[in-house]
Amino acid sequence: MTVRGSAILLLLTQGVVTAQTNSVPARKDSSVYSELAKAPKKAAARHNPLGHDPDAVAAGGKLFALHCAECHGEKAEGSRKAPSLLAEQVEQATPGTLFWILTNGVVRHGMPVWSKLPEPQRWQIVSYLKSLTPAGKSPQ
Amino acid sequence: MLATRFQIPGHRRAPSLAVRISFCTAIGLILATLALPARAQESPYIVTYDHYLEEPGSLEVEYFSTFGTQRAGKDFLAYWTEFEYGATAWWTTEVYLDGQTTFDDSTLFTGFRWENRFRLLQREHFINPVLYLEYEYVSGADKILKEIEGHDGEADTAGPNAVARKEHKNELELKLLLSKTFKGWDIAENTLAAKNLTNSPWEFGYAIGASRPLALKASVQRCNFCPENFIAGIELYGGLGDRYSFGLHDTSHYLAPVIAWNLPSDWTLRLSPGFGLNDNSHRFLLRWGVSREFSGFGAAISRLFGGRS
């Protein structure tokens, strides 16, 4: 039992390390943004119901720091785990597209689904993302 | 023999190597993760699973406790510690360490479980399926009642620990987890099939849960008592007999309100008073739990082994 238990623990630890090492590829190529194009037209056309809510950006920023910054970086600049959200592709994406990506995740590439956040909270995050100034552009 | 090894420090015998390794591992993992950032957004369920897995690279350390009343026997406190790790966005793996104290009897380490959950579909659908596979090696004295299966009932936990610990279960458990989130409501249904790997029939069970945050929009400020930090719901779970006598006859069932409080300081507290619905059930189960999620745990371990993060 002791030997078997220890072996299982060892295997588990090794699996954890392997899985983690494998799940951290470089995310600098632009192909990671191709997921944005996969949003169905109907989903991409959705309007942000909180687009005119004055608190949505601030609340979305709080949610971003809580749930997204670990992988996408505190300023959404990206990291080895996840792409920058300051990229032009993200700026050009419709709110509906960003909402669709948040809802469905990109499970194959390591982004979990975030439909566990209620819809208004996902829209708040979208409001925050749309408020960001893309890299290379000066704030207006 | 194995039951003897399961005894806990402070009681009749000195702790075995297995117990010491388990405790050292647990303490080591906790210490190793104290410096990591943490995020919490957890469901309130204690028995039911929805289709949301642990975020990749995150470790959630959880402690749960169940106080159970016992009509023909002694009340008990059963507890378990979970180490839940998001290996990928579609695979979560989890180790449980179980124990229990039966009042006026003794305290025992009752075994371990290794659980895996696999997301079957890449995207969100009307219903989202997750496959659950678990191996458990527990003694007959295990009382955590994490799932109710077959003809489980109050009488199974009535015997003295000295007798119950001599029995061992070497069990494989399969579940199909189905869930959906709709207008803030999380609705989940689990179907369970379990097989003791000795010559026992397949046993079946179910769990159903529904929950909703008290507010759907997030407030601007970080706050402890904001309504969106509280998720309330209800669980219904019980056994469905076995291969030879499938159905509700001679089974036990529970209805349990649940509430979770997700604190901005990254801790989650859960509370669930459960009520037995028939004569085979414990009259009352009070469950509570505390958990903390550590983001970046996998990266930290990877660095420790010389990997890149």
Side-chain angles (χ1 to χ4, degrees), chain A residues 37-48:
Chain A
K38 294 179 182 172
K41 280 182 183 172
K42 192 177 169 186
R46 286 184 72 180
H47 292 287
N48 184 349

Side-chain angles (χ1 to χ4, degrees), chain B residues 26 29-30 59-61 81-85 93-95 97:
Chain B
L29 284 171
I30 290 167
L59 175 78
E60 188 173 5
V61 181
T81 305
E82 297 180 33
F83 301 95
E84 180 177 350
Y85 181 73
T93 186
E94 192 165 352
V95 173
L97 302 173

Side-chain angles (χ1 to χ4, degrees), chain A residues 53 62 66 104 115-116, chain B residues 39 52 55 124 217 219:
Chain A
D53 183 338
K62 185 184 85 168
L66 199 60
N104 289 281
S115 60
K116 69 177 171 184
Chain B
R39 308 285 178 262
Y52 297 112
E55 284 92 47
E124 288 290 275
K217 275 170 72 173
S219 52

Side-chain angles (χ1 to χ4, degrees), chain B residues 148-185:
Chain B
I148 306 295
E149 60 199 42
H151 297 287
D152 286 354
E154 187 182 26
D156 297 330
T157 53
N161 282 347
V163 175
R165 76 184 191 192
K166 288 178 181 165
E167 181 197 332
H168 296 102
K169 275 206 301 187
N170 202 16
E171 191 171 278
L172 185 67
E173 198 172 289
L174 307 173
K175 287 182 188 175
L176 180 63
L177 317 178
L178 301 173
S179 88
K180 175 180 182 60
T181 301
F182 180 70
K183 294 195 180 293
W185 282 92

Side-chain angles (χ1 to χ4, degrees), chain B residues 9-44:
Chain B
H11 292 267
R12 288 172 222 160
R13 297 186 189 211
S16 71
L17 183 62
V19 171
R20 276 178 281 180
I21 287 173
S22 302
F23 273 94
C24 289
T25 306
I27 290 167
L29 284 171
I30 290 167
L31 290 176
T33 53
L34 278 179
L36 297 170
R39 308 285 178 262
Q41 173 70 31
E42 304 302 326
S43 86

